[in-house]
Amino acid sequence: MSQDQLALFRTEVSAWLKTHCPASQRQPIVREEQIWGGRRRVFPSADAKQWFEACRDRGYTAPEWPVEYGGAGLTPEQAKILKQEMARLQCRPPLYCQGLWMLGPALLVYGSEAQKREHLSAICRGEIRWAQGYSEPSAGSDLANLKTKAEDCGDHFLVNGTKIWTTKADEADWIFCLVRTSDASPKQAGISFLLIDMASEGVSTSPIQLISGESEFCQTFFDNVQVPKANLVGELNGGWAVAKELLKHERKMMAAFDGMLEKPAMSLLELAHYAVGVDQDGRLGNSELRSDIAQHLMREQAISQLGERIYWQGKAKQSDPRLPLLMKHLGTTETQTKDELILRALGDEGLSMEDECVPEGLRKMVKQWAFNKALTIAGGTSEVQLNIIAKRALSMPTSEVKS
Amino acid sequence: MILNAEQLMMRETVAQFFAERAPISRLRALEHEPIDISYDVELWSDMVALGLTGITVPEVYDGLDFGWLGLGAIAQEAGRCLVASPLLSSVVMGQNVLLNCGSRAQIERYLPAMLSGDSTSTLALDEGRAFDPDSIVVAERAGTMSGRKIRVLDAPMCSLIFSVARRESGELGVALVSADSRGITASGRRLMDLHDSGSVVFEALQTETIEWLEGLDIRGGLQKTLDQATAVLAAEMMGTAREALERTVTFLGEREQFDVKLGTFQALQHRCAQMYCELELADSAVAAALVALDHDAQNTSSLVSSAKALANDCLTLISSESVQLHGGMGVTEEMDMGLFLKRSRVCNQLLGSSSYHRDRYARLNGF
């Protein structure tokens, strides 16, 4: 597509967004007002519904997916322009869904035609909400050790077992799962990727109470659940490849998450000024905190500079494959450093998540501090990340213990 | 933030050159030289022949105009071999204080000899225990100038000295003096890393021997010079850190204890992985600072402070850990790791410690 055509596309998109995105949907996102899909969906407001439906009808909930599956069929360049224009006009994301970010892209690669037809447009149209069933109580970092079993019963699989850290499984309609279909060795070779309707008999969920006072996650139980064979994605015992494809998109999504999450009430610097004030020279009133904040901001900035380096290397076809391996560990650790600085600055006000004498915005930051302790655990712990870096970036020798 | 084809080629040439011509043994040889010999003159003339004096110099002044990112890449390669040379003192500090604070006539008069290697120069700035460019005491009074400058790199070897001083009017100025003028004593001081950090003493130096730089914005020009030097030093430190980490990872892959390679132990793997994270993080900040210098970006000073603070912290960590992970060998002179450790601590004090740069960064960003 020529530069002229792209410029024209930008003008059209911008005009369309201005016409169809209500003013209330052009505000920074607030968690309670996110639009989630699903059989039991409830729109946070009439404006939200209108905005979602406009995007849905134009394929903008999944801009890059083919039109026949409910997407808009945009090229990557066009999708980037749409994203830029939405960011510029502060349009909220029209739909939040794990199906959109993770399952869909994997189905496009590994799904059968029938699966694509059945599931992709239901995702784009916000009709079905998906959950992810990977980890198990005894398969965390060692994911391949998963034990949830899918037994071949001729016309269906019989599934028994349990999945943990299933995000919002109590509100989800379907779940995509990794299940054991063979005891073959290595363990990865006996895993299949299965789609399960949560309305099936034998599926139950139980929320997990987190230290942040929330329950984003559930444990999901499968007790003799019958799953049609048509719900197998990819080949039997070939689920690990699908899972890896999906993981790529999970990481991409995490990187793009910034604009999709609620912004804290104050930036770190605003909060520090609010909490400790300034000295007679107009500088932040606590020199140790000032120095630690400076160090954190430098590191935070350097992490995005590392991201830029990776981007420019890619553009110039000089990619250093070692660099992307560092992002998760560096990024999540730095977020936790920031949270600790917030708590330190807040002093007494940072000691309760419930006390209503403390402004709600501040309490949300305290909750975030507790919630973000999960960042260095979920999606591959920091320890696993360091293993990967030692092995793949530094080529250090492998030990006797199997990884 | 990445090198273009010309810069890549230059880096490759220079890397090979340093590996062949400037091994660490050549640095160690300086130890047996008189104290006033701070670098190997033959090595330096080969560096001049490679064109290293003109990397960032604009084409109008017959330079190569390869940019700060290009010079940063060269400094990294020098850092790998801990090269002692007037690259920082003369090429970066001397030449650029002239370019940034001098008049066109002064530049045209003094720069050609610096580019050809016929003369070298240095910047005399520091006076106190720690880097602090805002408190300059040395001043011109009643026709003479007296005082002492320390941490003057390669002081006894250079022919021209640019000294930051207060002028009779009280304004900040840059005095250009010939090193052999009466009233000037330039002495060498070999630090533990075998690099020089000399001093210059002015004793009733007659004002007639001083040529003040006549650029329009001395203060701005000085700040720019210091930003340039700091970014290049940070780049050099990244080369030193990368080399130390590579040597350590190689050592752990060879050394056997308990019947296995040490590198198979997860505790050691994690420490190396952690160091590698810090290395690429700091390296990204350094690249961003060099790019900012190339584009004369508005937030250059902030990016430079960030780069130096992160480079200090990173090299401090990597050099300490490298000595530790080399075990007993790490603390012997038989291995070079001790020199990396010492170089790291010297670089920390040069052009600003981490606390200095964190404080400056905070000030530049309004807190």
Side-chain angles (χ1 to χ4, degrees), chain B residues 14-79:
Chain B
V14 167
Q16 205 181 350
F17 170 81
F18 284 137
E20 283 168 15
R21 306 294 308 282
I24 290 176
S25 55
R26 202 151 176 187
L27 173 71
R28 285 196 184 274
L30 284 175
E31 237 175 330
H32 311 294
E33 296 285 343
I35 195 81
D36 282 353
I37 303 297
S38 65
Y39 56 86
D40 185 325
V41 181
E42 200 184 320
L43 176 67
W44 171 238
S45 64
D46 289 344
M47 287 169 72
V48 174
L50 271 180
L52 300 193
T53 50
I55 298 293
T56 59
V57 177
E59 279 170 5
V60 282
Y61 294 120
D62 295 327
L64 294 172
D65 217 352
F66 271 13
W68 292 96
L69 196 62
L71 183 56
I74 290 164
Q76 290 220 13
E77 297 305 329

Side-chain angles (χ1 to χ4, degrees), chain B residues 126-137:
Chain B
D126 280 353
E127 297 172 11
R129 182 179 292 272
F131 177 74
D132 184 6
D134 294 323
S135 29
I136 301 298
V137 177

Side-chain angles (χ1 to χ4, degrees), chain A residues 283 290 299 309 329 387 397, chain B residues 266 270 278 280 284 367:
Chain A
R283 307 192 66 189
R290 181 169 71 216
R299 292 180 63 89
R309 230 173 109 204
H329 172 54
N387 286 347
Chain B
Q266 194 187 35
H270 280 196
E278 294 300 320
E280 296 295 3
S284 305
F367 65 105

Side-chain angles (χ1 to χ4, degrees), chain B residues 144-174:
Chain B
T144 64
M145 189 163 91
S146 296
R148 182 164 186 262
K149 293 284 185 182
I150 60 170
R151 278 189 300 283
V152 186
L153 306 181
D154 306 312
M157 304 269 287
C158 67
S159 39
L160 293 173
I161 298 170
F162 294 94
S163 182
V164 182
R166 305 230 159 256
R167 301 187 62 164
E168 201 82 64
S169 60
E171 277 174 289
L172 199 67
V174 177

